Amino acid sequence: ESSWGGGSTGNSRCKARCRAMGIAWLRRAWQDIGMSQSSPPTSPPTLVTYAAAEGIATLTLHNPPANAYSYEMFRQLDDAVLRARMDAAVHVIVITGHGEKVFCAGADIAMLRAATPEFKYYFCLHANETLLRLEHTPKLVIAAINGHCVGGGLEIAMACDLRLARRDAGKL
């Protein structure tokens, strides 16, 4: 018997109630963003691409025009860092930005402007945890700075072991 209200019957009632609450929340969230109940949310866009070959995993930040990061980008970056870390064939991780003008311009200001203080707190906490994971990864991590690298983009570069910038790449 569990302390949550008595054996399996109480547990199944709790699960059913939680499931119903989750479905109700999801329906409200869909309505809040203008989606009907019949249209499920689409999967998020790929904001970090992962490619591995010859012992090198290349992680490319892809959110034109400035490769600004969002919560979803940091989730994908975190997943890509863990994927490379756990791949025995990968010895080096290279992080770069999509395009030739910007490595990463930091956080998506429009997203932060619309966010609640609580979301901002947890967003910053997650970003910090992701950068610490990157910094503590035992594999060599290289920032291939192919353009402007400012704000939080510089924080990403600083979490890498080495930073290489293309000549005339932009501002750091």
Side-chain angles (χ1 to χ4, degrees):
E1 215 175 298
S2 75
S3 62
W4 285 77
S8 62
T9 305
N11 191 22
S12 60
R13 270 193 309 248
C14 180
K15 285 182 180 177
R17 196 168 114 211
C18 289
R19 190 174 315 120
M21 288 170 51
I23 291 169
W25 177 87
L26 186 57
R27 285 182 179 146
R28 280 194 311 276
W30 285 348
Q31 289 169 351
D32 288 347
I33 60 173
M35 297 178 73
S36 70
Q37 292 178 14
S38 62
S39 62
T42 59
S43 60
T46 301
L47 300 171
V48 177
T49 58
Y50 180 98
E54 299 179 17
I56 300 170
T58 303
L59 285 53
T60 304
L61 308 177
H62 189 276
N63 189 18
N67 296 326
Y69 60 74
S70 60
Y71 172 66
E72 190 55 47
M73 180 183 274
F74 259 90
R75 293 232 9 221
Q76 292 179 27
L77 180 60
D78 198 23
D79 289 345
V81 169
L82 286 172
R83 182 175 173 189
R85 181 189 274 187
M86 299 305 290
D87 187 341
V90 169
H91 306 290
V92 176
I93 301 170
V94 175
I95 299 178
T96 192
H98 174 77
E100 295 182 12
K101 294 185 177 187
V102 181
F103 171 76
C104 180
D108 181 340
I109 302 302
M111 177 213 51
L112 288 177
R113 195 174 293 133
T116 65
E118 182 180 33
F119 177 85
K120 289 176 192 176
Y121 172 78
Y122 288 117
F123 170 71
C124 291
L125 180 62
H126 180 255
N128 186 291
E129 291 166 341
T130 300
L131 294 179
L132 283 173
R133 185 183 324 279
L134 184 63
E135 190 175 328
H136 292 230
T137 295
K139 299 181 180 189
L140 178 64
V141 182
I142 301 170
I145 303 169
N146 55 319
H148 296 291
C149 178
V150 296
L154 186 56
E155 290 184 57
I156 294 172
M158 293 303 294
C160 299
D161 299 310
L162 298 171
R163 289 153 293 284
L164 301 172
R166 185 177 49 117
R167 184 182 308 269
D168 299 322
K171 304 259 188 223
L172 285 182

